[in-house]
Amino acid sequence: MEYISTRGNVEARGFIDTVLMGLADDGGLMVPVQIPVISPDTLEEWRKLSFQELFLEIFSHYTNDEIPYDDLKEMVYTSYGNFRAPEVTPLHKVNDSLYVLELFHGPTFAFKDVALQFMGELYSYIAKVRGEIIHILGATSGDTGAAAIQGVRGKEGIKICILHPHNKVSKVQELQMTTVDDSNVLNLSVEGNFDDCQKVIKELFADLDFKGKYHLRAINSINFVRILAQTVYYFYAYLQIENSGGKKINISVPSGNFGNIFSGFLAKKMGLPINKLIIATNENNILERFVLTGEYKPGGFTSTYSPSMDIQVASNFERYLYYLLDENAVKLSEYMAGLAAEGKITVDGELFTQVQADFAALGVKNEQCLETISKYEQEYSYLLDPHTACGIAAYEAFGGPDEVTVTFATAHPAKFDEAIALTGIKQEFPAPISALFEMPQHMTVVEHDKAAIVRELQAFYG
C-alpha cells in the first residue's frame, strides 16, 4: 500500500517513508491510498487472537512487506513485553451496559504507551537498518511526551525533544518527562498552552530546510503510525465482547486532538461494525461544537481537570475532513486555507448530516467530571481519572437501552491526583509513580518564542 498527503501535492510514499515523513512536505497529513476492508468472517476469526497477534494482522495490511514479518513480530512483542497486564489492554465490565477498556497498563500509565512503545521500537529499527539519524520532535498536552520519551530513551541513533506547556500539565505528567536524565532527551517547558507548542512544531516541520538539516521526525499523532497502532485496541475491545444479546456496541473516547477518535473512525471504515463513535471532551469543546453545529472554530482556552484534552486546535481533524470530502484533496486544501484566513471551517447540508451520522459528542463541565468520579467510586468501587470520567459522562448521555458502550480509560487516576483529591477520595499511588517525587528534574523553561525554541534545538541536535 502507498500513502499520499491529504493536500494532494506529495507523490505516493511507502510505509517507512511515511513513518519518517510524519507531516507531509506540503503541510498535509499522510493517509493510505486505500483503506483495507476486513470481512465479517475475518473479524470473527480475529476474535480469538491476543492483542499482539491482532496487531500483526492489522499492520500486515499496511506495511507493504517493507518490514520482514519476523522483524515486525519481534518489535511488537518487545513493545508490549513491559505492560503490567498480559492482555495489554484489559476489558473491565462495570455493569450490563458499560465496559471500560483499560489503556493505562504501559510504563507511563497512559494510553499513549500503546502506540509509542511500538513507535520507539520502529524508529530504532529504521535507524539501524537504514543507517538513519533520527531526531524526534514533538509537543504534548501531558501524556504523549512521557510515553514518547519512555519509548526511545537511551536508544542509539535517536534524540528526542518534547515541548510541554509550562505548569499546564499534571505534576505526575511533568515528573514522568522531566526526571529522565538520558543524554538523548531534552524537555522544553514552554510559557504558553499546548496549542502554542503544537503550532511551533507544525511550523518547524513545514520548514523543509530546517526539517531536512536536523533530520526531524514526528512522534505526535500527525504521524499515521500513531493512528494505526491505536486502531488495534478498537478491534480488540469490540472483539472481546461476546454474548452481547444482539445489542449494538458503542465506543466512547476521551479525545482532544482528534487522534484517538480518528483511530476509531479508521477502524469503522475498515469494517469494524461500531454503532456510535462518541467523542468525549471537556470545556475546550471545539469538537463538540463542530458535531452539534457544523462549525469548527477554535475558541478561548480553558484550564480544566482533564488537562490532556485542553486543546482548541485538533491536528487530526484534517484527516477526518479529507474523508468527509470524499478524499478530494483540492476541496480539503480550500477548507484549510479558509481556516487559516478566517479562523473557522463550516460544513452544512449533506456534509453536516454525515458528521452527525459519524459522531456523537459531549463537552463535559468540570463539576460534572468530578461528580462522575465520585459516583463510580461510590457505586462500583471503580476509580476513574478525569479524562475517563468525561468518557463515562458521554456514555451516560448517549448510551441507549439496546446498546452496550465501551469507554476508554486513557490514564491511571494516579496521574491526576490534583483532580481526584477535590472529590475527597484518597488514592494510593503505584510504586513507580510514588518514586518520581524523590527524583531530580531536568528541563529548560523557554518563552513561547519560535526563535528561542530553535536555538535550544540547534544546540541539542548539533
Side-chain angles (χ1 to χ4, degrees), residues 3-5 10 13 18 21-22 24 28-32 222 224 319:
Y3 296 81
I4 54 175
S5 168
V10 173
R13 304 295 181 97
T18 297
M21 180 178 287
L29 301 179
M30 299 300 285
V31 291
I222 59 175
F224 182 73
R319 280 193 173 104

Side-chain angles (χ1 to χ4, degrees), residues 325-361:
L325 297 172
D326 199 25
E327 304 179 35
N328 188 319
V330 174
K331 285 186 179 179
L332 184 280
S333 297
E334 292 173 356
Y335 272 94
M336 298 310 295
L339 176 63
E342 302 171 17
K344 67 178 181 179
I345 289 173
T346 303
V347 300
D348 52 23
E350 292 182 1
L351 292 179
F352 181 49
T353 300
Q354 185 60 51
V355 169
Q356 296 201 309
D358 288 337
F359 302 108

Side-chain angles (χ1 to χ4, degrees), residues 158-177:
I158 300 176
K159 289 184 178 181
I160 182 169
C161 174
I162 295 294
L163 280 61
H164 72 268
H166 187 55
N167 291 333
K168 290 184 176 67
V169 299
S170 79
K171 189 60 181 178
V172 170
Q173 287 177 317
E174 178 186 297
L175 289 171
Q176 285 183 321
M177 290 184 281

Side-chain angles (χ1 to χ4, degrees), residues 258 285-297 317 320-321 324 345-347 352 355-356 359:
F258 212 88
N285 64 337
I286 183 173
L287 300 180
E288 180 196 32
R289 286 185 278 114
F290 173 69
V291 173
L292 294 180
T293 69
E295 182 179 77
Y296 177 86
K297 181 180 180 181
F317 179 74
Y320 171 67
L321 192 59
L324 181 65
I345 289 173
T346 303
V347 300
F352 181 49
V355 169
Q356 296 201 309
F359 302 108

Side-chain angles (χ1 to χ4, degrees), residues 141-143 146 164-179 189 307 413-419 429 433 436-443:
S141 56
D143 287 330
H164 72 268
H166 187 55
N167 291 333
K168 290 184 176 67
V169 299
S170 79
K171 189 60 181 178
V172 170
Q173 287 177 317
E174 178 186 297
L175 289 171
Q176 285 183 321
M177 290 184 281
T178 62
T179 55
S189 185
K415 296 197 72 169
F416 301 96
D417 194 54
E418 296 94 331
F429 284 5
I433 290 181
L436 294 171
F437 289 87
E438 305 301 321
M439 299 171 68
Q441 292 184 252
H442 310 272
M443 68 178 177

Side-chain angles (χ1 to χ4, degrees), residues 71-205:
D71 292 348
L72 183 62
K73 183 177 180 180
E74 182 178 356
M75 280 187 269
V76 170
Y77 278 84
T78 299
S79 298
Y80 303 112
N82 61 349
F83 276 58
R84 292 178 298 280
E87 309 95 322
V88 182
T89 60
L91 190 68
H92 174 82
K93 184 176 181 179
V94 178
N95 57 43
D96 287 343
S97 64
L98 175 65
Y99 291 79
V100 172
L101 187 73
E102 296 181 341
L103 299 174
F104 53 72
H105 291 278
T108 71
F109 295 81
F111 84 98
K112 302 293 178 69
D113 288 322
V114 179
L116 290 173
Q117 282 295 295
F118 174 74
M119 279 198 72
E121 292 298 319
L122 179 60
Y123 269 139
S124 182
Y125 174 84
I126 293 171
K128 290 175 183 175
V129 300
R130 284 198 171 187
E132 294 269 355
I133 297 171
I134 291 180
H135 290 164
I136 297 171
L137 178 62
T140 185
S141 56
D143 287 330
T144 291
I149 288 169
Q150 190 64 38
V152 302
R153 61 181 298 186
K155 282 186 164 54
E156 186 177 349
I158 300 176
K159 289 184 178 181
I160 182 169
C161 174
I162 295 294
L163 280 61
H164 72 268
H166 187 55
N167 291 333
K168 290 184 176 67
V169 299
S170 79
K171 189 60 181 178
V172 170
Q173 287 177 317
E174 178 186 297
L175 289 171
Q176 285 183 321
M177 290 184 281
T178 62
T179 55
V180 174
D181 62 353
D182 294 69
S183 61
N184 72 326
V185 175
L186 174 65
N187 283 289
L188 296 181
S189 185
V190 179
E191 298 277 11
N193 58 44
F194 170 74
D195 290 329
D196 297 327
C197 297
Q198 183 168 248
K199 183 174 184 291
V200 172
I201 297 297
K202 285 192 171 183
E203 288 177 357
L204 293 177
F205 273 93

